Amino acid sequence: MSEKLSTQPYKGTRDFYPAEMRLRNWFFGVIRTVLEGAAFEEYNGPMLESLDLYAAKSGEELAEKQTYHFMDKGNRHLAIRPEMTPTVARMVAAKMNDLAFPLKWFSIPNMYRYEATQRGRLREFWQLNVDIFGCETYEADLECILTAIRLLRAFGADETMFTVRINNRRFFNDAIRAITEKDEEGCRLISKVIDRKNKVPREVYEKELTELGLSSGQIAKIDGLYSMSVEEAAALCPESTGAQELLGLFEALRALKLDRYCVFDFGIIRGLDYYTGTVFEVFDNAPENNRAMFGGGRYDNLVGLFVKNAKVSGVGFGMGDVTLENFLFTHKLVPESFGKEAKLLITRFEDVNTETYFALSGKLADCGIVNAVYLGSAKKFGKQIDYAVKAGFTHLLVMGATELAAGAVKIKDLAARTETEVSVGADLNCAELAKLLKS
Ligand code: HAM
């Protein structure tokens, strides 16, 4: 083979070099702190699942068009997970009798979808999943929505930067049935068109609804719902359980003063088939990030796919790392000090034995100072400085035989171009040094 292999990763996937990895670890760290503080517990599952898991309830777009799947050597039809919800429902179903409900779990797995790649949408992404199982009432819906808000606030975001758009599948079906007199399947087909509303031109939207048998009057009535408040919309179907659920949820959000982040939006459907009640999406208010950042809702019957007559409802959401990263950079929410923490290179001289440098390095690490001993030749000091600058070290430690004998080392601050002498004594005590580097 004469042609060289490409150094580019597969389309829609990313290489995480240390700088990107550091950023991702930082924001996952913030997320874990918020969730663990609210007593959510972390779980994980396998990357490969039976394809049937998605065929059952994820909806045809995800299961048929976007899932990577293959036959294994034992003729099992497998999928690389395109989402986590069927996996977590399977895990809950498998241990239903041992788990304490309501259950509050989270996970940050990577997943794959065969998508047309664009800003905010890739083929491999990481997705935070937050789910509550075993709570039938609105409290779990409320907790999911307030957790989504809390997560964004933990990064310093405020209500000018994002909006939580909320609807309810039961209400949606009741309202569409009242306007169009369609049966369940008819309502489902209409929901698919409304779900795509913002992704296609208006003419296409109207044509698709007309093909489903809707008159222009009925289309206009649906249009009216898009700009209604939750009270106005609920008044159209006062008997609807979904309308009552929506009203109760908004009342709680108002009482918690979270309504400033939230709006009722009849256009929020969610493409996945398993949702049955509350549905919501979180949008970045910056127009350049126009894809949903979070999506979720209540699904009352997924666990029942695995256990006959099981009644464990779930509600949760997924949030992708790609849209979160776009959000954080667009709104300047990545701290300026990020990635600029002190990092010390211990330079080496031929007149000090190598073990002494490693002993010093260990003591510095014990004091919480990120440091490394220079691993190249000790002969040329200039080369060591060049390496330190290129590798992102902020400080140099200089300790030749003279400094060692005097029990004092020199610290060079590479950005400020200053030099400070610090006493370490004969036993290489690093307390003073640590104080200087942490200040
Ligand atoms: P989803 O709407 O398919 O829901 O995805 C949720 C979020 O994952 C999206 O809002 C977006 O941030 C991110 N996401 C989805 N596809 C991509 C992609 N191709 N590239 C980058 N990010 C993406 C679900 O997956 C549900 N299982 C969420 C859920 C959990 N519902 C209940 N619990």
Side-chain angles (χ1 to χ4, degrees):
M1 192 169 59
S2 59
E3 277 209 8
K4 295 292 175 208
L5 295 172
S6 169
T7 56
Q8 294 306 303
Y10 167 60
K11 185 175 176 182
T13 68
R14 293 160 289 172
D15 292 323
F16 287 88
Y17 285 87
E20 290 88 33
M21 204 61 209
R22 202 180 319 130
L23 179 71
R24 199 177 86 191
N25 285 341
W26 166 68
F27 60 71
F28 285 171
V30 173
I31 288 169
R32 284 197 167 90
T33 304
V34 171
L35 293 173
E36 285 168 0
F40 281 92
E41 291 185 294
E42 187 162 0
Y43 69 94
N44 210 333
M47 185 95 174
L48 298 178
E49 289 277 13
S50 161
L51 181 67
D52 296 344
L53 226 64
Y54 309 100
K57 280 277 175 191
S58 295
E60 61 187 64
E61 174 156 27
L62 188 63
E64 284 166 28
K65 297 194 190 136
Q66 296 184 338
T67 299
Y68 287 83
H69 56 98
F70 62 96
M71 302 299 281
D72 78 357
K73 290 180 183 162
N75 253 352
R76 296 172 200 91
H77 205 165
L78 298 183
I80 304 179
R81 64 182 169 207
E83 61 156 334
M84 197 64 173
T85 315
T87 298
V88 69
R90 178 180 62 67
M91 288 169 63
V92 169
K95 296 221 167 174
M96 236 174 80
N97 296 328
D98 306 326
L99 295 168
F101 295 102
L103 195 75
K104 295 173 58 172
W105 279 5
F106 80 97
S107 185
I108 317 181
N110 58 335
M111 46 197 56
Y112 290 81
R113 292 186 189 179
Y114 191 73
E115 290 233 33
T117 56
Q118 53 192 292
R119 185 167 169 85
R121 289 292 178 271
L122 296 177
R123 291 186 175 170
E124 185 196 34
F125 58 100
W126 272 252
Q127 191 196 58
L128 166 68
N129 278 255
V130 172
D131 287 272
I132 301 177
F133 285 88
C135 173
E136 310 285 329
T137 45
Y138 83 98
E139 287 88 344
D141 308 42
L142 176 67
E143 174 145 20
C144 282
I145 290 174
L146 72 81
T147 301
I149 296 171
R150 216 187 250 166
L151 283 168
L152 291 179
R153 284 178 49 105
F155 289 102
D158 63 32
E159 68 267 32
T160 63
M161 300 175 191
F162 68 93
T163 306
V164 186
R165 302 188 164 275
I166 304 172
N167 196 7
N168 181 298
R169 279 270 179 103
R170 279 185 267 272
F171 171 70
F172 177 88
N173 289 336
D174 289 340
I176 292 293
R177 208 173 296 127
I179 294 172
T180 65
E181 293 174 2
K182 294 277 180 195
D183 60 8
E184 198 178 316
E185 178 58 9
C187 292
R188 197 183 71 81
L189 294 173
I190 294 171
S191 80
K192 296 283 169 201
V193 178
I194 295 182
D195 188 37
R196 285 195 300 274
K197 179 168 74 73
N198 294 332
K199 296 181 191 147
V200 297
R202 173 78 193 178
E203 312 82 78
V204 175
Y205 165 78
E206 281 184 17
K207 183 169 161 278
E208 289 181 353
L209 287 182
T210 310
E211 280 167 5
L212 292 174
L214 270 64
S215 66
S216 52
Q218 289 169 329
I219 295 174
K221 274 194 181 159
I222 295 175
D223 280 343
L225 274 155
Y226 296 136
S227 52
M228 282 185 192
S229 69
V230 67
E231 289 79 12
E232 288 167 334
L236 297 180
C237 305
E239 304 298 306
S240 159
T241 313
Q244 298 312 317
E245 287 170 350
L246 271 173
L247 289 173
L249 183 60
F250 271 90
E251 198 179 310
L253 290 168
R254 257 192 298 276
L256 287 166
K257 299 198 172 18
L258 295 176
D259 54 323
R260 63 185 193 276
Y261 300 100
C262 303
V263 295
F264 165 69
D265 184 340
F266 191 72
I268 297 296
I269 310 293
R270 312 278 300 123
L272 302 158
D273 281 348
Y274 46 70
Y275 296 112
T276 47
T278 301
V279 279
F280 70 96
E281 291 187 347
V282 181
F283 283 84
D284 186 337
N285 290 345
E288 65 266 42
N289 299 331
N290 58 357
R291 311 299 311 229
M293 265 203 286
F294 296 53
R298 175 171 281 278
Y299 45 96
D300 283 323
N301 41 19
L302 265 188
V303 174
L305 286 178
F306 306 93
V307 182
K308 210 171 161 194
N309 298 328
K311 273 209 170 351
V312 184
S313 63
V315 47
F317 63 81
M319 179 201 64
D321 66 324
V322 186
T323 40
L324 177 67
E325 194 177 311
N326 290 343
F327 177 80
L328 295 175
F329 278 114
T330 304
H331 297 282
K332 302 193 172 33
L333 297 174
V334 178
E336 284 202 358
S337 60
F338 182 76
K340 297 190 184 131
E341 297 78 10
K343 188 168 129 183
L344 178 79
L345 182 70
I346 301 175
T347 53
R348 280 169 52 214
F349 295 88
E350 288 178 291
D351 55 8
V352 173
N353 70 38
T354 308
E355 293 73 18
T356 305
Y357 289 120
F358 277 102
L360 178 66
S361 170
K363 290 192 174 205
L364 277 165
D366 289 345
C367 293
I369 300 302
V370 178
N371 77 92
V373 176
Y374 181 68
L375 296 178
S377 158
K379 285 201 176 94
K380 291 196 177 131
F381 190 62
K383 251 188 147 180
Q384 302 193 44
I385 299 181
D386 291 346
Y387 167 73
V389 171
K390 199 165 177 191
F393 285 89
T394 57
H395 295 79
L396 293 184
L397 182 146
V398 179
M399 184 178 75
T402 320
E403 286 84 7
L404 186 59
V409 299
K410 287 184 189 126
I411 298 294
K412 288 180 188 289
D413 182 325
L414 288 170
R417 295 172 179 272
T418 53
E419 187 177 285
T420 315
E421 201 167 276
V422 185
S423 152
V424 289
D427 61 347
L428 303 178
N429 182 337
C430 293
E432 283 296 308
L433 247 172
K435 229 190 270 169
L436 170 80
L437 290 166
K438 283 180 179 166
S439 65

